[in-house]
Amino acid sequence: DGGITQSPKYLFRKEGQNVTLSCEQNLNHDAMYWYRQDPGQGLRLIYYSQIVNDFQKGDIAEGYSVSREKKESFPLTVTSAQKNPTAFYLCASAAGRSQPQHFGDGTRLSIL
Amino acid sequence: GESVGLHLPTLSVQEGDNSIINCAYSNSASDYFIWYKQESGKGPQFIIDIRSNMDKRQGQRVTVLLNKTVKHLSLQIAATQPGDSAVYFCAEKYGQNFVFGPGTRLSVLP
């Protein structure tokens, strides 16, 4: 089945540690996105990529980094500079800018 | 369970009744809108979309209405079932990216 796979489902970060969240899609979509979801708030865009080897900052990029070396993969690194990383992280992909975004099942990141 | 959905408005409906979930969007220039359903611990699922040149669009058991005059979007679910219990949120496309609403929790009573 085509879809988006995020891993791990749960992740714990220690103080000063960088952690990387995985996102893989087999939908052959050009565009990929990372969002952060906090209780009672709408999704907030962290980074997005419209094409391989290119990505742009979203609304809340500080403390995060991404890469897009392959069309299928868009990993997100939460760096130690992100002081409030506890959240539910969602990856999405889309065939184009005015097409529905398809989401993975998320990674919940917590602080140890 | 997941903490997503805390402090959200809640709509409680009796099984078999129709549900109407509302969304006020922000930008009059938004040209594309999507409704998503999110169950606890999962990612959002696409339900239905509508472009700004339309007022109404129907799917299986769902209807989306768009009122551009008052910047209002609604999702109607016919004959609501227990499996419809979830958080529902709208997304508007403004410029290059989407803006997402916080959502409404739908609770279906037996």
Side-chain angles (χ1 to χ4, degrees), chain B residues 6-60:
Chain B
L6 283 179
H7 316 301
L8 292 177
T10 298
L11 173 67
S12 296
V13 298
Q14 211 70 39
E15 183 179 351
D17 287 352
N18 297 336
S19 304
I20 300 176
I21 301 170
N22 297 303
C23 176
Y25 64 91
S26 306
N27 299 290
S28 55
S30 295
D31 58 2
Y32 179 49
F33 305 86
I34 303 176
W35 277 103
Y36 286 97
K37 172 186 180 183
Q38 187 175 21
E39 296 174 277
S40 183
K42 295 194 171 182
Q45 294 172 266
F46 170 89
I47 301 173
I48 192 168
D49 59 358
I50 188 167
R51 300 197 185 268
S52 58
N53 60 351
M54 301 174 71
D55 297 323
K56 179 179 179 179
R57 190 156 188 238
Q58 288 184 289
Q60 188 177 15

Side-chain angles (χ1 to χ4, degrees), chain A residues 33 35 45 48 50 101, chain B residues 92-99:
Chain A
Y33 306 82
Y35 293 94
L45 183 63
Y48 64 102
Q50 299 289 350
Q101 295 186 5
Chain B
E92 61 178 299
K93 183 169 173 299
Y94 178 65
Q96 289 195 61
N97 294 313
F98 283 90
V99 176

Side-chain angles (χ1 to χ4, degrees), chain A residues 9-56:
Chain A
K9 188 169 178 62
Y10 298 96
L11 187 59
F12 297 91
R13 195 190 90 170
K14 293 180 182 178
E15 200 74 36
Q17 187 182 42
N18 293 352
V19 291
T20 297
L21 284 60
S22 171
C23 178
E24 303 277 332
Q25 55 102 357
N26 60 3
L27 298 167
N28 199 34
H29 285 167
D30 284 318
M32 296 188 74
Y33 306 82
W34 274 105
Y35 293 94
R36 172 180 170 135
Q37 188 173 38
D38 293 283
Q41 296 189 37
L43 303 185
R44 291 185 290 166
L45 183 63
I46 304 173
Y47 267 99
Y48 64 102
S49 168
Q50 299 289 350
I51 198 167
V52 174
N53 292 323
D54 188 41
F55 49 82
Q56 286 79 40

